[in-house]
Amino acid sequence: MPVKIFSLKNVPDDELDEIRNLLVENKVDYYEYPGGKWGLSMPAFWLNDDSQSEQAKLLIDQYEQKRSLRIREEYDKLKMEGKHQTLIEKVISDPIRSVSYILLELGLIYISTKPFLTFVN
């Protein structure tokens, strides 16, 4: 029976590549099921044989711990060097995109609530 070892939902591409390489290097026989066009299915790494599930889960857990430490260190380094962008800095660096997103969000809110507002009158 197939065993899910890692969910791929909202996982960045670099992390996917690193986990693929980790599983291949450790000779874990897995297959990848993509989310599909609409993202309605369960994207994940799966094992055909559950005899390797403990090994695979342990490898992935260790990798995730190392990755979280590495990403945190990179973030702290950027912050200490002053290269980390805050929200205000991002808005100032690209005001057209920021204003466009705000207008789009306000438009969606208006379209979503318009039927209910006219229903009250």
Side-chain angles (χ1 to χ4, degrees):
M1 173 182 249
V3 177
K4 181 176 89 167
I5 57 169
F6 187 72
S7 177
L8 303 179
K9 200 164 201 145
N10 301 321
V11 177
D13 291 335
D14 65 323
E15 186 176 358
L16 281 177
D17 291 338
E18 291 172 359
I19 291 178
R20 282 185 195 113
N21 292 336
L22 178 72
L23 294 174
V24 169
E25 288 172 2
N26 289 283
K27 297 179 175 76
V28 175
D29 186 27
Y30 75 97
Y31 66 95
E32 181 178 345
Y33 191 79
K37 255 186 188 178
W38 304 100
L40 298 176
S41 62
M42 173 65 81
F45 287 137
W46 296 81
L47 296 176
N48 282 324
D49 183 18
D50 65 345
S51 65
Q52 291 184 313
S53 67
E54 290 298 320
Q55 175 195 6
K57 288 179 182 179
L58 181 64
L59 287 169
I60 291 172
D61 287 344
Q62 290 171 348
Y63 165 77
E64 289 291 315
Q65 289 174 354
K66 289 177 187 174
R67 179 179 171 84
S68 67
L69 289 174
R70 186 183 79 221
I71 297 297
R72 185 64 187 180
E73 288 171 358
E74 290 172 6
Y75 172 78
D76 290 340
K77 182 181 174 187
L78 286 174
K79 199 171 181 180
M80 286 181 65
E81 294 173 352
K83 295 180 182 177
H84 168 69
Q85 275 192 326
T86 63
L87 178 62
I88 300 297
E89 291 170 343
K90 287 181 182 181
V91 169
I92 290 171
S93 69
D94 198 356
I96 294 173
R97 176 181 285 184
S98 302
V99 170
S100 299
Y101 284 153
I102 291 170
L103 291 175
L104 179 65
E105 290 170 6
L106 290 173
L108 288 172
I109 290 170
Y110 175 76
I111 290 170
S112 299
T113 57
K114 176 75 171 138
F116 299 105
L117 296 175
T118 56
F119 182 71
V120 173
N121 290 335

